[in-house]
């Protein structure tokens, strides 16, 4: 296997990115990973879109953490996203903190980190930047755009904005618009960050501090929503952490408390608080129906794209009912769509985990679509 | 109608309260409200147990807020808890901040507020204090002990600890043990409070500050769990707050954000942060099965109490499955138990709201039990 390649590219040097807010931004640095080889007719690319706190390190070893990439189980030679056959691309999103331009970077107008002067971005803006990246890579049409959670939002935006550029689209554990409950959880996280005095109105980098406590609380809240009640019960139940009895105090008596505290404190090391604000905001703003005059089906009229919609039965953050709404909209415009609700008790996080039914569903769909597209099992004429 | 009486009483002057932690505490001030009149044979008392952030102001006008008491719709002459017939008692819980001894009060040993030196308390300790209050009021047996959420935990503890003192027990939207998910949400709230520099290790009163931001975040998180996704969608959906379009900023663009911020900021004015820590901890520690050797049914062997268990279909904080587990345990010891899952889309908060099926269920149960107990429609020989 060719090892995953991590690199950066600048887009918008010639013309800036026109954001949904009306502002222009650019040039923008895009950090991305590629795995496998682009074939001769440039028809075998799979664009992976990552989730809220994800990154472009999908396969191999993540150089930042030293651990396997977040979709390493799915991406590789012979795996579901078979890198003998496909050319996989994943870019860190606009507004992120892993290499693509975001609020931690230097604002060229001031010479200081952007902080809250960074423009508020949308899922559409993330997709615009990805489209520029594909332009630069010479990829006119991707074989597949795929992603879970916020990644699934980008998939839907891709299919709506660039139907001719998307042969297949696979939104997983996603929604066409962020729900009131999900906005509420995000707002709690943002308030926790902004309540931390070390946030300093967003200018913490200049003061040499980071809003660790606020960001940890934000992560802890969000983390609960990624798991199902069943998964939490099975993993931890009411088991105590290295003790025989409760301590009648405020230490982490319960394993679930210790686990959450760990999730909070390790997150702080790898994620930027302002990026968290911007990316959650982008998700909150996402409403594909409103973008298309109030009717979701309008986003997909005469779409040539083949869709595979996947949800997980115990996902209460992006429940199946939201995926069904997408399926209904696609059916109403006679789109080519298949839909699977995977039985799983692992909650929203199932899209990141080793769920055999999910993997087999995906493998079957991609195989069929690849045959239809005429892609041989091994990338031909790869360069 | 006789107006609700608000008063305080000291218990444990003669012998202190032996807490579950093994520590002694006392004397303890108990703030409580009574409505209606105790009858001649002291058989018509209803003890109401309040929830996490509740208080003893159930009926009439709450003198602190100027608004109706939290169960005023249920408590009064001719209402479901008919104060022509019943003598209603509700006490602020141990560890609270509305008049009953809690961490905000002065530690007699130091002359300073208890803060984190207040002993960690349990649901059992709250019930012990309530039992002392009833002793002082000369009430040997209550006709009914009733409460929702944490109030329902107290009801179960009452029935288990003092079966002969409880003629009927009505735990509503409750559980016999706090789930891993619920512990997780509480832990996030506690971490938010403790992360606020103004918390000062719990000694904020001495410094003339309060951890407003942390407490507000804790409340916001918890508040989401009190509502159903459906209720949030109906109340707010993705509607904007006094604006035509999103602002591409971090103001409260969405109504749900504005609502949550309001919930957070008003809570800070009425609740003590340390009380929030102690009372959430008491809920986390609650596990009636473990208290009785690992088998819930053991808590109710040969119980003479009549139970009415009520849950709400859209309550995901204390879902119906938890109430069913209580029913199964009671059935296994041949207890007298009825169970109703009320269809409601209002989530956990339904127990505080005007839900006709809930009110009628309760009225029917109390009427039947009152006839069985020989209580006439109007308190006789009341004093």
């Amino acid at each position: 296997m060719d090892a995953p390649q991590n690199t950066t590219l600048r887009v918008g040097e010639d013309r800036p990115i026109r954001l949904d807010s009306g502002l222009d931004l650019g040039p923008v640095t895009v950090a991305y990973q590629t795995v496998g080889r682009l074939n001769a007719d440039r028809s075998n690319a799979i664009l992976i879109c990552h989730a809220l706190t994800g990154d472009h390190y999908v396969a191999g070893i993540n150089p930042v953490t030293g651990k396997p990439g977040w979709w390493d189980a799915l991406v590789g030679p012979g795996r579901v996203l078979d890198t003998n056959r496909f050319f996989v691309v994943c870019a860190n999103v606009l507004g992120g903190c892993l290499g693509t331009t975001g609020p931690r970077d230097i604002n060229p107008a001031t010479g200081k980190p952007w902080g809250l002067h960074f423009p508020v971005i949308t899922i559409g803006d993330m997709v615009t930047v990805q489209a520029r990246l594909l332009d630069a890579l010479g990829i006119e049409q991707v074989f597949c755009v795929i992603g879970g959670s916020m990644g699934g939002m980008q998939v839907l935006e891709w299919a709506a904005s660039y139907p001719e550029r998307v042969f297949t689209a696979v939104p997983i554990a996603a929604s066409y618009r962020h729900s009131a409950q999900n906005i509420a959880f995000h707002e709690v996280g943002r308030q926790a960050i902004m309540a931390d005095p070390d946030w300093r109105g967003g200018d913490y980098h200049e003061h040499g501090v980071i809003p660790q406590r606020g960001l940890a609380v934000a992560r802890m809240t969000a983390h609960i929503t990624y798991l199902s009640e069943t998964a939490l019960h099975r993993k931890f139940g009411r088991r105590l952490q290295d003790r025989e009895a409760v301590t009648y105090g405020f230490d982490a008596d319960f394993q679930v408390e210790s686990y959450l505290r760990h999730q909070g404190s390790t997150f702080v090391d790898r994620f930027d608080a302002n990026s968290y604000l911007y990316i959650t905001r982008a998700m909150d703003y996402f409403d594909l129906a409103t973008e298309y005059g109030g009717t979701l089906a309008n986003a997909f009229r005469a779409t040539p794209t083949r869709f595979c919609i996947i949800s997980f039965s115990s996902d209460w953050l992006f429940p199946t009912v939201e995926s069904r709404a997408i399926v209904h909209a696609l059916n109403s415009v006679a789109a080519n769509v298949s839909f699977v609700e995977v039985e799983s008790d692992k909650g929203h996080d199932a899209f990141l985990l080793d769920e055999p039914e999910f993997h087999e569903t995906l493998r079957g769909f991609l195989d069929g679509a690849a045959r239809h597209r005429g892609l041989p099992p091994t990338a031909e004429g790869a360069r």
Side-chain angles (χ1 to χ4, degrees), chain A residues 80 358-371:
Chain A
V80 175
F358 163 44
H359 291 198
E360 287 316 304
T361 296
L362 200 48
R363 186 189 293 275
F365 175 78
L366 293 177
D367 266 4
R371 279 198 304 274

Side-chain angles (χ1 to χ4, degrees), chain A residues 156-157 160 175-178 285-300 329:
Chain A
L156 293 168
E157 184 81 40
S175 174
Y176 69 95
R177 58 115 179 79
H178 217 218
Y285 276 4
F286 186 64
D287 183 349
L288 203 54
T290 298
E291 282 182 50
Y292 286 84
T295 304
L296 180 59
N298 288 343
F300 304 115

Side-chain angles (χ1 to χ4, degrees), chain A residues 49-354:
Chain A
C49 303
H50 70 70
L52 169 52
T53 68
D55 52 44
H56 51 294
Y57 303 118
V58 281
I61 295 299
N62 179 325
V64 179
T65 64
K67 295 179 181 168
W70 60 271
W71 246 7
D72 188 58
L74 275 176
V75 178
R79 296 187 186 161
V80 175
L81 305 191
D82 185 353
T83 51
N84 288 332
R85 184 177 220 176
F86 304 116
F87 175 64
V88 166
V89 182
C90 181
N92 186 213
V93 295
L94 180 65
C97 52
L98 275 299
T100 295
T101 298
R104 189 162 64 182
D105 294 310
I106 299 299
N107 176 355
T110 64
K112 296 178 184 174
W114 282 97
L116 278 213
H117 295 287
F118 195 75
V120 165
I121 49 153
T122 65
I123 300 293
D125 296 332
M126 295 176 185
V127 165
T128 300
V129 169
Q130 289 162 359
R132 294 284 188 100
L133 171 66
L134 293 189
D135 292 345
L137 297 178
I139 299 170
E140 177 56 34
Q141 186 198 55
V142 291
F143 165 67
C144 179
V145 54
I146 183 172
S149 196
M150 185 183 82
M153 292 177 166
Q154 295 163 61
V155 171
L156 293 168
E157 184 81 40
W158 258 104
S161 301
Y162 305 100
E164 303 296 336
R165 298 191 73 170
V166 179
F167 188 72
T168 64
V170 185
I172 304 162
S175 174
Y176 69 95
R177 58 115 179 79
H178 217 218
S179 73
Q181 189 178 67
N182 289 3
I183 295 172
F185 276 119
H186 275 175
E187 173 67 2
V188 169
R190 287 190 295 263
Q191 291 294 317
I193 290 168
M194 292 176 165
D196 189 328
D198 285 340
W199 181 63
R200 307 277 181 112
D203 293 333
Y204 48 92
H205 293 302
E206 290 183 63
H207 293 87
V209 291
I210 53 172
Q212 294 191 39
R213 291 160 299 184
L215 184 57
V217 168
R219 176 62 169 179
M220 289 169 68
T221 308
H223 200 82
I224 301 173
T225 69
Y226 301 152
L227 305 175
S228 69
E229 204 282 332
T230 308
L232 274 168
H233 183 70
R234 187 184 51 234
K235 275 176 102 153
F236 308 110
R238 296 181 47 83
R239 284 188 291 283
L240 302 178
Q241 177 72 20
D242 301 333
R243 59 203 69 184
E244 295 287 312
V246 297
T247 61
Y248 293 100
F250 294 101
D251 283 347
D253 276 354
F254 296 101
Q255 288 179 9
V256 67
E257 295 177 302
S258 174
Y259 171 78
L260 271 187
R261 290 185 189 187
H262 177 74
Q263 291 296 327
S265 64
T266 55
F267 185 63
V268 167
D269 297 332
R270 73 175 179 87
F271 214 81
D272 176 60
N274 284 339
S275 273
Y276 196 84
L277 300 180
Y278 278 87
I279 300 176
T280 56
R281 202 55 170 159
M283 291 179 74
D284 292 352
Y285 276 4
F286 186 64
D287 183 349
L288 203 54
T290 298
E291 282 182 50
Y292 286 84
T295 304
L296 180 59
N298 288 343
F300 304 115
R301 295 220 173 277
T303 180
T305 304
R306 290 151 182 263
F307 291 84
C308 178
I309 317 286
I310 299 176
S311 70
F312 297 94
S313 57
S314 60
D315 183 351
W316 59 276
L317 196 64
F318 290 88
T320 291
V321 64
E322 314 240 345
S323 284
R324 279 192 201 282
I326 301 166
V327 173
H328 291 159
L330 288 166
N331 282 338
S332 77
V333 294
N336 187 328
V337 54
S338 65
F339 165 58
V340 175
E341 181 190 39
V342 175
E343 278 298 321
S344 164
D345 66 2
K346 299 202 176 91
H348 184 61
D349 260 1
F351 83 91
L352 295 167
L353 304 173
D354 190 12

